[in-house]
């Protein structure tokens, strides 16, 4: 990024050369040279910037496709595991275990459906793909039945909400709730509360530095559409209140 900007600036500053010639010796030739030089620099900068942004878009598209494929493969792997377990119980003639397995599958399908119905593409993709990332954090998502945000938030506000949730999860992930190398669990829930949406983050275990975590989260939501609320009895439990009546 820096080399790209430096190159563009170097090309633009090259205009100083013909400009200096005009300053020292004003003539039709030097003025014509300056005009051609400036036109060439502008044309080059436009074409170069356009190609650079097109390349950036291609990289972002490829990254998104890779993330989508990784998510689909992970879900396919989970479904295959569930089906193999169910098939094993059926072969062993264990109807009770088979029913329990089917119930777990139904619960997962229902959860995926509730997450999808949130209606914010960036948020849905983040929640559905989080399990595919190698992380020491296990994210347990809960969504109230019937909760939808698509028609309540603009795309800009929806992306802002996604960004806040991602940053808050990251704050919990690196907050020191558990020793490094162990797996920690974070429960993330979405609940309707009158005209507001309560987004709850509940980490397990004692927090080694609750003041730091609290400060990080309050900094994350500063100037945003939601506000942070902390429960005194559990300093690792924070709620974000998102008002919908705006």
């Amino acid at each position: 990024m820096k080399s790209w900007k430096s190159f563009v600036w170097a090309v633009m500053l090259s205009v100083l050369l013909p400009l200096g010639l005009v300053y020292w010796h004003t003539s039709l030739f030097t003025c014509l040279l300056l005009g051609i030089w400036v036109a060439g620099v502008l044309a080059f900068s436009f074409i170069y910037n356009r190609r650079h942004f097109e390349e950036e878009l291609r990289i972002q598209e490829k990254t998104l496709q890779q993330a989508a494929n990784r998510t689909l493969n992970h879900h396919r792997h989970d479904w295959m595991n569930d089906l193999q377990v169910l098939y094993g119980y059926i072969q062993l003639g264990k109807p009770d275990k088979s029913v329990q397995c089917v119930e777990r599958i139904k619960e997962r399908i229902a959860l995926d459906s509730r997450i999808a119905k949130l209606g914010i593409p960036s948020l849905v993709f983040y929640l559905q793909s989080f399990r595919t990332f190698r992380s020491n954090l296990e994210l347990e998502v809960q969504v109230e039945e019937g909760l939808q945000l698509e028609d309540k938030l603009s795309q800009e506000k929806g992306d802002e909400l996604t960004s806040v949730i991602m940053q808050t999860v990251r704050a919990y992930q690196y907050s020191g709730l558990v020793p490094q190398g162990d797996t920690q669990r974070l429960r993330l829930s979405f609940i309707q509360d009158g005209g507001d949406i309560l987004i709850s983050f509940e980490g397990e275990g004692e927090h080694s530095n609750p003041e730091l975590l609290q400060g990080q989260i309050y900094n994350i939501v500063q100037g945003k559409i939601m506000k942070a609320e902390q429960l005194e009895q559990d300093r690792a439990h924070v709620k974000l209140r998102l008002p919908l009546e705006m």
Side-chain angles (χ1 to χ4, degrees):
M1 179 63 73
K2 290 183 178 180
S3 61
W4 164 68
K5 290 184 177 179
S6 300
F7 183 71
V8 172
W9 275 108
V11 172
M12 296 181 68
L13 289 174
S14 69
V15 175
L16 294 176
L17 179 61
L19 187 61
L21 291 176
V22 172
Y23 178 78
W24 289 107
H25 180 67
T26 304
S27 66
L28 178 61
F29 173 75
T30 54
C31 290
L32 184 61
L33 177 63
L34 176 61
I36 296 174
W37 198 293
V38 170
V41 167
L42 292 176
F44 175 82
S45 299
F46 174 78
I47 295 173
Y48 188 84
N49 287 335
R50 181 177 178 179
R51 289 183 177 177
H52 174 77
F53 286 120
E54 287 177 351
E55 181 64 22
E56 287 290 322
L57 287 175
R58 282 194 292 269
I59 293 174
Q60 292 178 8
E61 183 180 1
K62 183 178 180 180
T63 302
L64 182 61
Q65 290 173 347
Q66 291 174 341
N69 288 334
R70 187 169 58 245
T71 301
L72 289 174
N73 287 334
H74 191 278
H75 282 281
R76 179 183 60 80
H77 184 265
D78 286 346
W79 287 120
M80 289 299 298
N81 286 342
D82 288 337
L83 290 175
Q84 288 175 356
V85 172
L86 177 60
Y87 183 65
Y89 286 144
I90 294 174
Q91 282 188 317
L92 294 174
K94 296 184 177 181
D96 294 340
K97 293 291 185 179
S98 300
V99 171
Q100 292 175 8
C101 185
V102 171
E103 290 298 325
R104 287 197 302 269
I105 294 175
K106 288 173 60 179
E107 288 175 4
R108 284 185 51 196
I109 294 175
L111 175 59
D112 287 343
S113 176
R114 291 196 297 271
I115 292 176
K117 287 179 180 178
L118 286 174
I120 302 176
S122 57
L123 178 59
V124 173
F125 182 77
Y126 173 71
L127 296 178
Q128 295 283 23
S129 63
F130 187 86
R131 287 182 298 171
T132 67
F133 300 112
R134 294 182 179 179
S135 169
N136 66 334
L137 180 69
E138 180 182 339
L139 187 63
E140 179 184 329
V141 182
Q142 298 177 349
V143 180
E144 186 178 55
E145 183 67 38
L147 181 60
Q148 296 184 7
L149 300 177
E150 182 178 13
D151 57 344
K152 299 180 176 65
L153 295 175
S154 64
Q155 180 178 348
E156 180 182 357
K157 294 300 182 182
D159 291 340
E160 181 179 295
L161 173 62
T162 303
S163 176
V164 168
I165 291 176
M166 292 173 62
Q167 293 180 63
T168 304
V169 171
R170 194 175 299 117
Y172 272 93
Q173 186 174 358
Y174 299 105
S175 62
L177 276 172
V178 296
Q180 189 171 0
D182 294 344
T183 300
Q184 61 186 96
R185 180 176 298 176
L186 175 64
R187 184 176 296 108
L188 170 60
S189 60
F190 298 80
I191 302 173
Q192 180 103 31
D193 183 28
D196 300 340
I197 299 296
L198 287 182
I199 305 167
S200 176
F201 298 83
E202 187 175 359
E204 291 187 352
E206 268 187 49
H207 199 287
S208 58
N209 195 340
E211 291 80 10
L212 176 61
L213 176 64
Q214 178 183 359
Q216 288 176 332
I217 294 176
Y218 276 92
N219 287 334
I220 289 170
V221 300
Q222 187 175 11
K224 302 297 192 302
I225 57 176
M226 65 284 295
K227 296 181 179 180
E229 301 177 354
Q230 183 185 4
L231 302 182
E232 293 297 331
Q233 64 268 27
D234 186 353
R235 306 191 73 173
H237 186 181
V238 174
K239 289 185 178 181
L240 301 183
R241 181 174 292 273
L242 172 65
L244 297 180
E245 303 296 332
M246 297 181 291

